Amino acid sequence: MTFAPAPSLRSTRRKLAATAMLAAAATLAAGTAAAQTKTLYIGMNGGTMEKAYTQYVFPAFEKLYGAKVVVVPGTSSDILAKAQANKDKPQMHVMFLDDGIMVRAMGMGLCEKQRPNPHLNDIYPAARFKDDLASGVSLGMTGIAYNTKMFTEKGWAAPTSWMDFADPKYKGKVVFQSMPSSSFGLHGFLMFNRIQGGNDKNVEPGFNNWAKTIGPNVLEYIPSSAKISEMVQTGEAAMFPLTPTAVAALKARGIPVEYAQPKEGSVVLMTGQCVIAKNSEPELAQKLAEFLLSPLAQANVLQFGAQIPTNPKAPAVGEGAAQVAQISQWMKNAVTLDWDSVNANRPAWNTRWNKTIER
């Protein structure tokens, strides 16, 4: 299934852009735009996500409020580290983090309660974090991605289970993200652990059985997914944990990959946003957080960034509608982790992983 925007969606793009311009003009005419340009810094992943927001979302906000939005790119861990290092005098105003890391940020006191607004009320209940300290901006899940070129050449059927990573025929062809540094790696390990009889508090089954099941098949443990495209093209990687959105981005670049939903379920992976506590522009930062939940903003990042909306009022047409419908199906057996338990135990798990698995 191809998630890249289809040419037939160009008219929708023009309509959405026109809507943004009309809204901006009306607001500016009413005199609500800021008299002086202010700059907001937002931490988020680079690449496809950054491009979608900087080209198709932030310009409309900038026109509405006479402001400038600048992206500070980085992984969720990078952004969290920056926010924590500048906790008393934040350099950023809003940040995007993967859901588990967002829960950690909330616990550190880095997030300011998002103020009530209509868009916050419209998003899916699961996208509202505890006490509205954060809100989900896009919905996804971690499942299995595989090299379609290799699978076709070998005559292999598409994977259907997390335990396919342990199939001996994939020996030396499995690539797994490192659990300490990657949400994908963490998700894959915890699903394996569940299949072995564990849960999010008890990971003994996972650690005890890894070395005799998945471990022998792993070619390399990678710190992030940046090497995936190269390893697929060179024929090194057959299978790896990944999201449908990331698979769509690779396919748009001509990389022969596909997503497979494991029968045991995928793991919910939501990108959340929070207004950073004690930031220098609290009013404007709150406005940005509200705007990013709007149907217009979410429709544009769906169309141009393959980000699944958390606001069901966001219009989805063509390939976008098909993508949303498919994600809705996959969400039926998707697993939500016990993040309080995971975050409490993860430092010890990371140490154990580094000593016993990724040596």
Side-chain angles (χ1 to χ4, degrees):
M1 178 178 180
T2 300
F3 290 154
S8 62
L9 296 183
R10 288 174 182 163
S11 61
T12 302
R13 170 182 168 182
R14 289 195 294 269
K15 291 177 182 177
L16 292 172
T19 300
M21 292 177 65
L22 288 172
T27 304
L28 289 170
T32 58
Q36 183 178 358
T37 300
K38 295 179 178 180
T39 300
L40 294 182
Y41 292 91
I42 179 168
M44 65 163 59
N45 283 339
T48 302
M49 174 179 280
E50 178 183 358
K51 183 178 179 180
Y53 276 94
T54 54
Q55 292 187 9
Y56 304 106
V57 177
F58 294 148
F61 177 84
E62 291 169 337
K63 290 177 183 178
L64 277 169
Y65 294 101
K68 179 67 177 174
V69 181
V70 176
V71 171
V72 179
T75 65
S76 290
S77 296
D78 293 337
I79 298 301
L80 177 62
K82 287 183 173 71
Q84 189 176 12
N86 298 285
K87 182 176 181 179
D88 295 327
K89 193 175 181 180
Q91 305 299 304
M92 297 180 292
H93 300 84
V94 176
M95 60 181 170
F96 281 15
L97 303 174
D98 290 347
D99 45 13
I101 295 178
M102 182 62 79
V103 172
R104 286 171 55 196
M106 291 161 52
M108 295 174 180
L110 296 176
C111 296
E112 175 184 293
K113 183 181 178 71
Q114 195 165 335
R115 297 173 191 174
N117 64 75
H119 302 321
L120 186 60
N121 292 334
D122 287 339
I123 64 175
Y124 295 116
R128 293 183 74 161
F129 287 68
K130 185 178 180 182
D131 298 327
D132 286 335
L133 287 171
S135 57
V137 290
S138 68
L139 188 63
M141 68 273 294
T142 303
I144 303 171
Y146 63 101
N147 182 335
T148 54
K149 182 174 183 291
M150 183 185 296
F151 269 65
T152 298
E153 290 174 349
K154 299 286 189 180
W156 294 337
T160 60
S161 168
W162 287 105
M163 289 308 299
D164 285 340
F165 282 105
D167 190 322
K169 70 185 176 187
Y170 303 125
K171 185 175 178 62
K173 294 295 185 181
V174 166
V175 173
F176 222 88
Q177 296 87 341
S178 178
M179 186 185 77
S181 61
S182 168
S183 293
F184 301 149
L186 173 69
H187 290 174
F189 172 76
L190 288 177
M191 287 306 295
F192 169 74
N193 177 63
R194 288 188 180 210
I195 295 168
Q196 300 303 305
N199 55 47
D200 295 343
K201 294 180 180 179
N202 173 24
V203 294
E204 290 301 316
F207 277 110
N208 291 338
N209 293 310
W210 186 274
K212 57 189 178 186
T213 53
I214 295 177
N217 286 353
V218 177
L219 169 67
E220 184 177 349
Y221 294 99
I222 55 178
S224 72
S225 299
K227 291 178 64 177
I228 290 291
S229 61
E230 176 187 342
M231 297 182 81
V232 168
Q233 290 175 301
T234 57
E236 296 174 275
M239 233 177 8
F240 33 88
L242 212 59
T243 65
T245 300
V247 167
L250 289 174
K251 290 173 68 174
R253 292 164 48 197
I255 310 299
V257 293
E258 189 55 86
Y259 175 83
Q261 177 75 353
K263 64 183 180 182
E264 301 90 355
S266 52
V267 181
V268 173
L269 177 61
M270 193 182 325
T271 300
Q273 65 165 348
C274 87
V275 176
I276 297 177
K278 302 179 183 178
N279 79 78
S280 62
E281 297 291 344
E283 294 294 331
L284 195 57
Q286 287 282 346
K287 289 292 185 183
L288 178 59
E290 176 181 354
F291 183 82
L292 296 180
L293 298 179
S294 69
L296 170 66
Q298 298 224 328
N300 277 1
V301 288
L302 166 63
Q303 183 177 345
F304 302 108
Q307 303 290 312
I308 302 301
T310 55
N311 187 338
K313 292 185 177 180
V317 296
E319 293 289 342
Q323 184 182 4
V324 170
Q326 182 64 84
I327 293 288
S328 297
Q329 281 295 116
W330 290 333
M331 283 296 293
K332 289 181 179 180
N333 71 334
V335 172
T336 300
L337 300 181
D338 175 3
W339 281 114
D340 288 333
S341 295
V342 172
N343 286 332
N345 293 294
R346 193 170 182 183
W349 297 350
N350 291 348
T351 299
R352 186 173 178 182
W353 174 279
N354 290 330
K355 287 183 177 180
T356 64
I357 293 179
E358 196 174 340
R359 293 176 292 180

